[in-house]
Amino acid sequence: MMTELTPALRARDLNKTYGSGDAAVHPLRSLSIDFPAARFTSVMGPSGSGKSTLLHVLAGLDTADDGEVTLSSPRGETTLTGLNEKQLTRVRRESIGFIFQSYNLVPAMTAEENILLPTNLGGDAVDRDFYQQVIDRLGLADRLSHRPFELSGGQQQRVAVARALVSRPAVIFADEPTGNLDQTSGAEVLGLLRTAVDEFAQTVIMVTHDANAAAQADRTVLLADGRVAGTIENPTASQLAAALIEAGS
Ligand SMILES: Nc1ncnc2c1ncn2[C@@H]1O[C@H](COP(=O)(O)OP(=O)(O)OP(=O)(O)O)[C@@H](O)[C@H]1O
Protein backbone atom coordinates (compact mmCIF):
# COMPACT_ATOMS: atom_id res chain seq x y z
CA MET A 1 0.00 0.00 0.00
CA MET A 2 1.47 3.35 -1.00
CA THR A 3 1.29 6.21 1.46
CA GLU A 4 1.67 9.82 0.51
CA LEU A 5 5.24 9.70 1.82
CA THR A 6 6.18 7.01 -0.71
CA PRO A 7 7.99 8.66 -3.58
CA ALA A 8 6.34 7.84 -6.88
CA LEU A 9 9.65 8.70 -8.51
CA ARG A 10 13.13 8.71 -7.10
CA ALA A 11 16.00 10.20 -9.08
CA ARG A 12 19.55 9.69 -7.86
CA ASP A 13 22.75 11.36 -9.11
CA LEU A 14 21.52 12.03 -12.62
CA ASN A 15 24.11 13.44 -14.98
CA LYS A 16 23.69 14.38 -18.59
CA THR A 17 26.11 16.19 -20.87
CA TYR A 18 25.71 17.31 -24.47
CA GLY A 19 28.83 18.02 -26.52
CA SER A 20 32.36 18.12 -25.16
CA GLY A 21 35.16 20.48 -24.23
CA ASP A 22 34.32 24.18 -24.31
CA ALA A 23 31.04 23.41 -26.07
CA ALA A 24 29.83 20.98 -23.35
CA VAL A 25 26.38 21.65 -21.87
CA HIS A 26 25.31 19.95 -18.63
CA PRO A 27 21.50 19.91 -18.34
CA LEU A 28 21.72 17.53 -15.34
CA ARG A 29 24.47 17.70 -12.73
CA SER A 30 24.39 15.06 -9.94
CA LEU A 31 20.70 15.76 -9.63
CA SER A 32 18.82 13.82 -6.93
CA ILE A 33 15.19 14.33 -6.02
CA ASP A 34 12.04 12.51 -4.84
CA PHE A 35 8.55 13.16 -6.16
CA PRO A 36 5.92 12.10 -3.58
CA ALA A 37 3.04 9.92 -4.76
CA ALA A 38 -0.43 11.44 -5.15
CA ARG A 39 1.01 14.94 -5.09
CA PHE A 40 1.22 17.70 -7.69
CA THR A 41 4.78 19.01 -8.15
CA SER A 42 5.67 21.87 -10.48
CA VAL A 43 9.19 22.39 -11.81
CA MET A 44 10.46 25.89 -12.56
CA GLY A 45 13.80 27.45 -13.41
CA PRO A 46 15.56 29.68 -15.91
CA SER A 47 15.59 28.75 -19.59
CA GLY A 48 18.21 26.04 -20.16
CA SER A 49 18.28 24.96 -16.49
CA GLY A 50 17.41 21.36 -17.47
CA LYS A 51 13.66 21.18 -16.80
CA SER A 52 12.60 19.42 -19.99
CA THR A 53 15.64 17.15 -19.91
CA LEU A 54 14.76 16.10 -16.35
CA LEU A 55 11.12 15.45 -17.28
CA HIS A 56 12.11 13.34 -20.29
CA VAL A 57 14.62 11.31 -18.28
CA LEU A 58 12.07 10.74 -15.46
CA ALA A 59 9.47 9.61 -18.01
CA GLY A 60 11.85 7.23 -19.78
CA LEU A 61 11.68 9.27 -23.01
CA ASP A 62 15.38 10.10 -22.76
CA THR A 63 18.29 8.61 -20.83
CA ALA A 64 20.81 10.15 -18.44
CA ASP A 65 24.53 9.42 -18.86
CA ASP A 66 24.50 7.96 -15.35
CA GLY A 67 22.39 7.88 -12.21
CA GLU A 68 19.18 6.05 -11.42
CA VAL A 69 15.44 6.66 -11.79
CA THR A 70 13.02 4.41 -9.87
CA LEU A 71 9.28 4.43 -10.41
CA SER A 72 6.94 3.13 -7.70
CA SER A 73 3.39 2.42 -8.74
CA PRO A 74 0.62 0.08 -7.60
CA ARG A 75 2.19 -2.37 -10.10
CA GLY A 76 5.45 -2.39 -8.08
CA GLU A 77 8.85 -0.76 -8.16
CA THR A 78 10.80 -0.44 -11.41
CA THR A 79 14.23 1.01 -12.01
CA LEU A 80 13.92 2.71 -15.38
CA THR A 81 17.60 3.22 -15.91
CA GLY A 82 19.02 0.10 -17.49
CA LEU A 83 15.77 -1.06 -19.13
CA ASN A 84 15.89 -1.71 -22.87
CA GLU A 85 13.61 0.20 -25.25
CA LYS A 86 10.99 -2.55 -25.31
CA GLN A 87 10.81 -2.71 -21.51
CA LEU A 88 10.68 1.09 -21.29
CA THR A 89 7.84 1.25 -23.81
CA ARG A 90 5.88 -1.15 -21.65
CA VAL A 91 6.47 0.86 -18.45
CA ARG A 92 5.47 4.07 -20.25
CA ARG A 93 2.27 2.44 -21.52
CA GLU A 94 1.31 1.00 -18.15
CA SER A 95 2.31 3.69 -15.72
CA ILE A 96 3.10 7.01 -17.42
CA GLY A 97 1.05 9.72 -19.13
CA PHE A 98 2.69 12.65 -20.92
CA ILE A 99 1.12 16.00 -21.90
CA PHE A 100 3.20 18.12 -24.28
CA GLN A 101 2.95 21.84 -24.97
CA SER A 102 2.28 21.05 -28.63
CA TYR A 103 -0.41 18.41 -27.84
CA ASN A 104 1.25 15.65 -29.98
CA LEU A 105 -2.03 14.15 -31.19
CA VAL A 106 -2.09 11.74 -34.12
CA PRO A 107 -3.48 13.90 -36.98
CA ALA A 108 -5.24 11.08 -38.85
CA MET A 109 -7.11 9.87 -35.77
CA THR A 110 -10.31 11.25 -34.27
CA ALA A 111 -10.33 12.74 -30.78
CA GLU A 112 -11.77 9.49 -29.41
CA GLU A 113 -9.17 7.33 -31.17
CA ASN A 114 -6.40 9.58 -29.83
CA ILE A 115 -7.77 9.40 -26.29
CA LEU A 116 -8.04 5.61 -26.35
CA LEU A 117 -4.72 4.99 -28.13
CA PRO A 118 -2.54 4.28 -25.05
CA THR A 119 -5.18 2.02 -23.49
CA ASN A 120 -5.65 0.11 -26.75
CA LEU A 121 -1.90 -0.21 -27.33
CA GLY A 122 -1.54 -1.60 -23.82
CA GLY A 123 -4.17 -4.23 -24.66
CA ASP A 124 -6.23 -3.18 -21.63
CA ALA A 125 -10.00 -2.97 -21.55
CA VAL A 126 -11.27 0.60 -21.44
CA ASP A 127 -12.96 1.54 -18.17
CA ARG A 128 -16.04 2.98 -19.87
CA ASP A 129 -17.43 4.66 -16.74
CA PHE A 130 -14.17 6.45 -16.09
CA TYR A 131 -13.81 7.34 -19.78
CA GLN A 132 -17.28 8.88 -19.75
CA GLN A 133 -16.49 10.79 -16.56
CA VAL A 134 -13.33 12.27 -18.11
CA ILE A 135 -15.07 13.15 -21.39
CA ASP A 136 -17.95 14.86 -19.58
CA ARG A 137 -15.65 16.75 -17.26
CA LEU A 138 -13.58 17.94 -20.25
CA GLY A 139 -16.65 18.91 -22.27
CA LEU A 140 -15.47 16.74 -25.18
CA ALA A 141 -18.63 14.71 -25.74
CA ASP A 142 -19.57 16.52 -28.98
CA ARG A 143 -16.01 16.62 -30.32
CA LEU A 144 -15.11 12.94 -30.22
CA SER A 145 -15.43 12.29 -33.95
CA HIS A 146 -13.39 15.37 -34.90
CA ARG A 147 -9.78 15.16 -36.02
CA PRO A 148 -7.17 17.43 -34.38
CA PHE A 149 -7.19 20.00 -37.24
CA GLU A 150 -10.92 20.50 -36.64
CA LEU A 151 -10.33 21.41 -32.99
CA SER A 152 -9.13 24.62 -31.31
CA GLY A 153 -5.85 24.60 -29.40
CA GLY A 154 -7.71 24.41 -26.10
CA GLN A 155 -9.79 21.47 -27.34
CA GLN A 156 -6.69 19.68 -28.65
CA GLN A 157 -5.01 20.05 -25.29
CA ARG A 158 -8.13 18.75 -23.56
CA VAL A 159 -7.94 15.68 -25.81
CA ALA A 160 -4.27 15.29 -24.86
CA VAL A 161 -5.17 15.58 -21.16
CA ALA A 162 -7.96 13.01 -21.58
CA ARG A 163 -5.46 10.69 -23.32
CA ALA A 164 -3.13 11.01 -20.32
CA LEU A 165 -5.93 10.43 -17.79
CA VAL A 166 -8.04 7.65 -19.30
CA SER A 167 -5.53 4.82 -18.94
CA ARG A 168 -5.07 5.93 -15.30
CA PRO A 169 -1.27 6.04 -15.28
CA ALA A 170 0.39 6.33 -11.88
CA VAL A 171 2.37 9.38 -12.98
CA ILE A 172 1.40 12.16 -15.38
CA PHE A 173 4.12 14.41 -16.77
CA ALA A 174 3.20 17.74 -18.32
CA ASP A 175 5.75 19.93 -20.13
CA GLU A 176 4.39 23.48 -20.40
CA PRO A 177 0.83 22.16 -20.85
CA THR A 178 -0.69 25.64 -20.74
CA GLY A 179 2.04 27.35 -22.80
CA ASN A 180 -0.08 27.63 -25.96
CA LEU A 181 -3.46 28.16 -24.30
CA ASP A 182 -5.53 31.21 -23.42
CA GLN A 183 -6.17 31.83 -19.75
CA THR A 184 -9.52 30.05 -19.59
CA SER A 185 -8.32 26.89 -21.36
CA GLY A 186 -5.14 26.96 -19.29
CA ALA A 187 -7.09 27.17 -16.03
CA GLU A 188 -9.23 24.24 -17.17
CA VAL A 189 -6.20 22.06 -17.87
CA LEU A 190 -4.66 22.93 -14.50
CA GLY A 191 -7.97 22.14 -12.78
CA LEU A 192 -7.95 18.70 -14.39
CA LEU A 193 -4.41 18.00 -13.29
CA ARG A 194 -5.48 18.93 -9.74
CA THR A 195 -8.44 16.55 -10.05
CA ALA A 196 -6.12 13.74 -11.19
CA VAL A 197 -4.19 14.21 -7.94
CA ASP A 198 -7.03 14.99 -5.52
CA GLU A 199 -9.66 12.53 -6.78
CA PHE A 200 -7.68 9.80 -8.51
CA ALA A 201 -4.46 9.85 -6.43
CA GLN A 202 -2.30 10.17 -9.53
CA THR A 203 1.10 11.87 -9.28
CA VAL A 204 1.55 14.95 -11.46
CA ILE A 205 4.87 16.54 -12.38
CA MET A 206 4.58 19.70 -14.48
CA VAL A 207 7.22 21.98 -15.98
CA THR A 208 6.10 25.57 -16.45
CA HIS A 209 7.41 29.13 -16.81
CA ASP A 210 4.16 30.53 -15.44
CA ALA A 211 4.25 31.26 -11.69
CA ASN A 212 0.44 31.27 -11.52
CA ALA A 213 0.28 27.81 -13.08
CA ALA A 214 3.11 26.52 -10.88
CA ALA A 215 1.31 27.77 -7.76
CA GLN A 216 -1.53 25.27 -8.42
CA ALA A 217 0.90 22.54 -7.31
CA ASP A 218 1.48 21.24 -3.78
CA ARG A 219 5.18 21.83 -4.16
CA THR A 220 7.53 23.59 -6.57
CA VAL A 221 11.03 22.37 -7.36
CA LEU A 222 13.38 25.10 -8.58
CA LEU A 223 16.16 24.08 -10.96
CA ALA A 224 19.24 26.11 -11.77
CA ASP A 225 22.09 24.98 -13.97
CA GLY A 226 21.15 21.29 -13.87
CA ARG A 227 20.76 21.16 -10.09
CA VAL A 228 17.94 21.47 -7.57
CA ALA A 229 18.22 25.03 -6.27
CA GLY A 230 15.35 24.67 -3.78
CA THR A 231 11.84 23.43 -3.13
CA ILE A 232 8.84 25.44 -1.95
CA GLU A 233 5.86 23.76 -0.24
CA ASN A 234 2.37 25.17 -0.91
CA PRO A 235 3.83 27.87 -3.14
CA THR A 236 2.13 31.17 -3.95
CA ALA A 237 2.58 32.87 -7.32
CA SER A 238 4.31 35.87 -5.76
CA GLN A 239 6.72 33.63 -3.82
CA LEU A 240 7.59 31.81 -7.04
CA ALA A 241 7.97 35.02 -9.05
CA ALA A 242 10.42 36.31 -6.44
CA ALA A 243 12.34 33.02 -6.39
CA LEU A 244 12.67 33.07 -10.17
CA ILE A 245 13.99 36.62 -10.20
CA GLU A 246 16.56 35.53 -7.65
CA ALA A 247 17.49 32.53 -9.84
CA GLY A 248 18.07 34.92 -12.72
CA SER A 249 15.26 33.80 -15.03
N1 LIG B 1 19.49 17.36 -27.97
C1 LIG B 1 20.27 18.31 -27.46
N2 LIG B 1 21.50 18.55 -27.95
C2 LIG B 1 22.30 19.49 -27.42
N3 LIG B 1 21.96 20.29 -26.37
C3 LIG B 1 20.74 20.10 -25.83
C4 LIG B 1 19.83 19.12 -26.36
N4 LIG B 1 18.69 19.17 -25.61
C5 LIG B 1 18.86 20.15 -24.69
N5 LIG B 1 20.10 20.70 -24.82
C6 LIG B 1 20.67 21.77 -23.99
O1 LIG B 1 20.56 21.37 -22.64
C7 LIG B 1 20.25 22.49 -21.82
C8 LIG B 1 18.99 22.20 -21.02
O2 LIG B 1 17.87 22.09 -21.92
P1 LIG B 1 16.38 21.89 -21.39
O3 LIG B 1 15.48 21.88 -22.59
O4 LIG B 1 16.32 20.72 -20.48
O5 LIG B 1 16.17 23.23 -20.54
P2 LIG B 1 14.82 23.89 -20.01
O6 LIG B 1 15.10 24.31 -18.61
O7 LIG B 1 13.68 22.97 -20.25
O8 LIG B 1 14.74 25.15 -20.96
P3 LIG B 1 13.48 25.99 -21.49
O9 LIG B 1 12.87 26.59 -20.28
O10 LIG B 1 14.11 27.01 -22.38
O11 LIG B 1 12.58 25.02 -22.20
C9 LIG B 1 20.10 23.69 -22.76
O12 LIG B 1 21.30 24.43 -22.74
C10 LIG B 1 19.86 23.05 -24.10
O13 LIG B 1 20.32 23.87 -25.15
Side-chain angles (χ1 to χ4, degrees):
M1 176 77 193
M2 284 205 299
T3 69
E4 62 183 52
L5 294 176
T6 311
L9 272 167
R10 196 169 63 226
R12 286 293 171 271
D13 293 320
L14 296 178
N15 284 294
K16 190 163 181 78
T17 301
Y18 288 114
S20 59
D22 286 350
V25 178
H26 305 281
L28 303 175
R29 294 179 195 251
S30 299
L31 192 150
S32 296
I33 187 152
D34 287 350
F35 291 91
R39 284 285 176 270
F40 187 168
T41 302
S42 50
V43 180
M44 298 195 87
S47 185
S49 57
K51 303 181 295 295
S52 293
T53 305
L54 175 63
L55 216 64
H56 290 165
V57 167
L58 292 173
L61 293 169
D62 194 359
T63 52
D65 298 336
D66 49 66
E68 203 172 86
V69 174
T70 307
L71 169 77
S72 299
S73 78
R75 292 176 187 263
E77 193 169 283
T78 312
T79 299
L80 300 187
T81 25
L83 295 185
N84 64 32
E85 196 45 51
K86 196 172 163 196
Q87 293 166 318
L88 267 180
T89 303
R90 185 175 170 164
V91 172
R92 284 199 302 262
R93 246 182 229 159
E94 290 177 347
S95 304
I96 290 173
F98 211 107
I99 301 166
F100 300 87
Q101 179 174 357
S102 50
Y103 325 130
N104 282 28
L105 301 176
V106 181
M109 288 187 170
T110 64
E112 179 167 26
E113 287 164 347
N114 268 286
I115 293 167
L116 294 177
L117 186 62
T119 315
N120 288 337
L121 282 176
D124 297 327
V126 176
D127 178 340
R128 276 281 154 190
D129 284 349
F130 185 63
Y131 171 79
Q132 202 53 52
Q133 221 176 312
V134 171
I135 296 307
D136 290 346
R137 176 76 204 282
L138 284 162
L140 284 170
D142 59 352
R143 291 286 179 279
L144 291 174
S145 58
H146 291 57
R147 290 178 212 286
F149 73 89
E150 298 167 316
L151 300 170
S152 71
Q155 290 165 343
Q156 289 185 60
Q157 193 60 308
R158 276 188 266 157
V159 171
V161 171
R163 179 179 58 183
L165 289 176
V166 161
S167 61
R168 293 207 188 194
V171 184
I172 297 173
F173 293 95
D175 196 353
E176 293 278 0
T178 60
N180 285 334
L181 303 182
D182 62 41
Q183 212 173 350
T184 309
S185 303
E188 220 166 53
V189 166
L190 292 169
L192 280 158
L193 294 178
R194 264 280 27 131
T195 303
V197 173
D198 296 339
E199 290 179 27
F200 305 118
Q202 287 165 299
T203 304
V204 172
I205 303 172
M206 172 181 77
V207 164
T208 181
H209 282 109
D210 177 351
N212 286 305
Q216 302 299 311
D218 301 306
R219 185 177 72 133
T220 300
V221 173
L222 296 161
L223 292 192
D225 203 16
R227 297 189 175 93
V228 176
T231 58
I232 300 178
E233 299 292 330
N234 303 312
T236 64
S238 51
Q239 241 179 336
L240 292 174
L244 284 177
I245 290 169
E246 206 172 303
S249 147

